[in-house]
Amino acid sequence: MHFTDKPSKPNIQGNLNIMVGEYSNLTCSSNLTTAPDYYARLRPLSYTWYVNNTKLYGETSKTLRLRVTRNHKYNQYSCTARDKLESDRSDHVIINPLCK
């Protein structure tokens, strides 16, 4: 079996309204559009995360865990997924820090 299509454009899910000092978990969801489910489970995708269009090195897991600070409101998060080819970049999300 040989799949050459790139993964679908990812979608970022997670709670964007987070209290300052708490942690947010953002999940980058994508799939191989041509691959059956069992194949996708055998070959997990690798992920790339971006903050304000700058690549976060060393972050390749599906979920990004980050601590929310007061200045988070200017940060835009996006991601791509990769199998053999890299997906299109997800739409960005913005964390909304809530002050206590």
Side-chain angles (χ1 to χ4, degrees):
M1 233 186 295
H2 187 65
F3 298 104
T4 56
D5 287 4
K6 64 184 180 180
S8 62
K9 179 180 172 178
N11 182 33
I12 296 179
Q13 296 165 311
N15 185 357
L16 302 178
N17 298 304
I18 308 286
M19 295 294 271
V20 169
E22 302 288 318
Y23 285 89
S24 175
N25 291 311
L26 301 179
T27 301
C28 187
S29 300
S30 177
N31 53 40
L32 289 170
T33 50
T34 58
D37 285 346
Y38 67 84
Y39 178 84
R41 282 196 298 274
L42 291 174
R43 297 231 354 221
L45 298 172
S46 66
Y47 296 87
T48 302
W49 288 90
Y50 298 85
V51 181
N52 299 335
N53 295 318
T54 300
K55 182 177 178 177
L56 284 179
Y57 287 94
E59 293 288 351
T60 57
S61 62
K62 183 174 185 166
T63 301
L64 178 68
R65 186 170 193 259
L66 53 104
R67 191 160 191 264
V68 175
T69 58
R70 287 183 192 279
N71 61 359
H72 253 99
K73 58 179 172 274
Y74 304 110
N75 289 349
Q76 298 178 350
Y77 293 86
S78 56
C79 64
T80 58
R82 173 183 285 279
D83 182 44
K84 289 186 178 69
L85 299 172
E86 192 163 36
S87 71
D88 293 332
R89 183 102 56 100
S90 70
D91 293 331
H92 68 256
V93 298
I94 298 176
I95 297 283
N96 177 32
L98 304 174
C99 295
K100 295 178 182 173

